[in-house]
Each structure stands twice: as structure tokens, then as C-alpha cells.
Amino acid sequence: EAAVTQSPRNKVTVTGGNVTLSCRQTNSHNYMYWYRQDTGHGLRLIHYSYGAGNLQIGDVPDGYKATRTTQEDFFLLLELASPSQTSLYFCASSGGNYAEQFFGPGTRLTVL
Amino acid sequence: GDSVTQTEGQVTVSESKSLIINCTYSTTSIAYPNLFWYVRYPGEGLQLLLKVITAGQKGSSRGFEATYNKETTSFHLQKASVQESDSAVYYCALGITGNTRKLIFGLGTTLQVQP
């Protein structure tokens, strides 16, 4: 059974729209991450968290908010979506002694 | 800062031929980072291909190998004989542990294996 799940898997919205991407992990990991993947840019870290209620800013945070409500759940919020946020979004979790991360299947977001 | 460089954006190889995908890293955050190769097959999410935690060690999985070379700060991915099913995007990543736990990714290398 998948340990990191994301919903929705696909989302289309309009410029200025409000979008929430959800991620749940059942790995009992403390760390969770949100990335975006774009051609020519690889994976870029948006926000991450090391526990419920904690939020850390990543490398490309502008235009994004995030909230970690429980150890299992991490949400990415786009309050005024723009076409530049059209991308493939991945969530991941990490725990244990090493930096290995386990990824969800991705959410493809299109902002028209 | 920390960075990972993959020099090839796309590689095309004929089936049964050998493969090498180059990866070099630079870090100021940690003396001995963990090193990883992730793979993304078409339509799927990222999955771990192999990891090496200790400098000088080699990791292997599904016929792929990579050796953690601290002297040259490299972690090249190799396979002796590729198959069409190996067509995917391969990402090299550097792992930071300690107060902050992060992965720094290269831009990725798209491998296309021709039958």
C-alpha cells in the first residue's frame, strides 16, 4: 500500500483561483516536503516541515503557503494561482538516520 | 552552498549498450553527505534507485551501479547493458542531515533507449 499519497492527481484552475493540494504519509516520518518539477529546472523545494505545526521555507516559496496539521498531513495552498504555477507537484516524507525521501505520485496542476 | 551537476540533459543509447550518466556535487553544509539516484518512469512518481551513505562505497540496484568518490566529488551512474524499459528520467541527489534534512537535486537526465 502506497505510503505517500497525494490528491488530487490532476487539477485545472483559472488565474486568481484558490487551490489546495493534499499529501498524506503513513511512514511515521517527521519530515515532509513539497516540490515542484519543471522541465529544465529539476525538482525545486517549495516548503517543508519537521512536525505538526512546523513550517520551513524552501528555495522557491513565493506564491505558496503550506500547513502541517498532523504528522501525517501536509497541505500546499495557492491562494491566487498564476499561470507560472502550472507544474507537476510532488510531496515527500523522510525519517530515520539518513536523508532518503519517499515520494508521492505527483499532482499535475494547470492554471489557465 | 550545496549543488548537484548533471552535465547531460538527455542521453540516447541503443539497447544492450553501456551507459554512464555523470553526476558531481559540491557542498559546504556537510562533510560526508548521503548520495542518491532517483528515477522517474513515464507517468509515475520518483522512486529511489540506489543510495550510498559512506564515501568509497558502491551502491547497486536493477543492474545500475554508482560509486561515492569523495576525492572527485562524483557519483556517476553506470549500467553495462541497458534495456528499453530503462527509459526514464534519472536524478542525482545530495542528502543533507543534521539540523536540516534536505535533498539537493540535479536537473535530471532523460535516458532514451532505442530498440
Side-chain angles (χ1 to χ4, degrees):
Chain A
E1 187 165 343
V4 182
T5 56
Q6 294 182 234
S7 62
R9 294 294 310 278
N10 289 281
K11 175 73 176 178
V12 179
T13 190
V14 296
T15 299
N18 196 321
V19 177
T20 298
L21 305 184
S22 302
C23 177
R24 167 163 284 199
Q25 58 101 0
T26 57
N27 295 319
S28 300
H29 286 163
N30 289 329
Y31 283 83
M32 294 186 74
Y33 307 82
W34 277 107
Y35 294 90
R36 61 178 290 173
Q37 185 192 20
D38 305 285
T39 303
H41 290 278
L43 274 85
R44 293 183 288 177
L45 181 63
I46 303 170
H47 290 299
Y48 64 106
S49 166
Y50 55 74
N54 175 265
L55 182 64
Q56 302 294 315
I57 295 173
D59 301 319
V60 289
D62 292 347
Y64 301 95
K65 293 184 179 179
T67 181
R68 180 90 176 268
T69 54
T70 65
Q71 186 184 38
E72 294 78 21
D73 298 302
F74 195 29
F75 300 93
L76 185 67
L77 296 83
L78 292 73
E79 294 184 332
L80 286 171
S82 72
S84 65
Q85 294 176 307
T86 293
S87 187
L88 180 59
Y89 291 86
F90 285 107
C91 175
S93 73
S94 180
N97 295 326
Y98 307 119
E100 179 178 355
Q101 293 181 17
F102 297 83
F103 285 81
T107 294
R108 186 165 293 282
L109 174 66
T110 302
V111 183
L112 301 175
Chain B
D2 307 308
S3 65
V4 174
T5 300
Q6 293 178 241
T7 52
E8 304 96 355
Q10 182 157 335
V11 173
T12 302
V13 181
S14 298
E15 199 165 28
S16 80
K17 299 299 185 184
S18 64
L19 167 74
I20 181 165
I21 298 178
N22 293 306
C23 172
T24 57
Y25 68 90
S26 173
T27 177
T28 57
S29 300
I30 188 168
Y32 293 94
N34 308 158
L35 296 176
F36 304 87
W37 278 100
Y38 281 84
V39 59
R40 182 167 167 246
Y41 296 102
E44 299 183 15
L46 273 82
Q47 53 186 278
L48 180 69
L49 178 61
L50 58 85
K51 67 182 178 189
V52 180
I53 306 303
T54 305
Q57 298 296 310
K58 176 166 50 177
S60 60
S61 174
R62 307 180 212 175
F64 289 90
E65 295 182 338
T67 300
Y68 184 160
N69 189 320
K70 184 168 169 58
E71 286 67 39
T72 59
T73 63
S74 66
F75 192 53
H76 307 318
L77 183 68
Q78 301 184 70
K79 189 172 187 183
S81 175
V82 297
Q83 303 170 356
E84 201 171 351
S85 58
D86 293 325
S87 296
V89 183
Y90 292 82
Y91 293 93
C92 183
L94 177 156
I96 306 295
T97 57
N99 292 334
T100 298
R101 176 186 292 246
K102 295 171 66 174
L103 283 179
I104 311 299
F105 285 90
L107 295 185
T109 298
T110 300
L111 170 64
Q112 187 169 4
V113 179
Q114 294 181 330

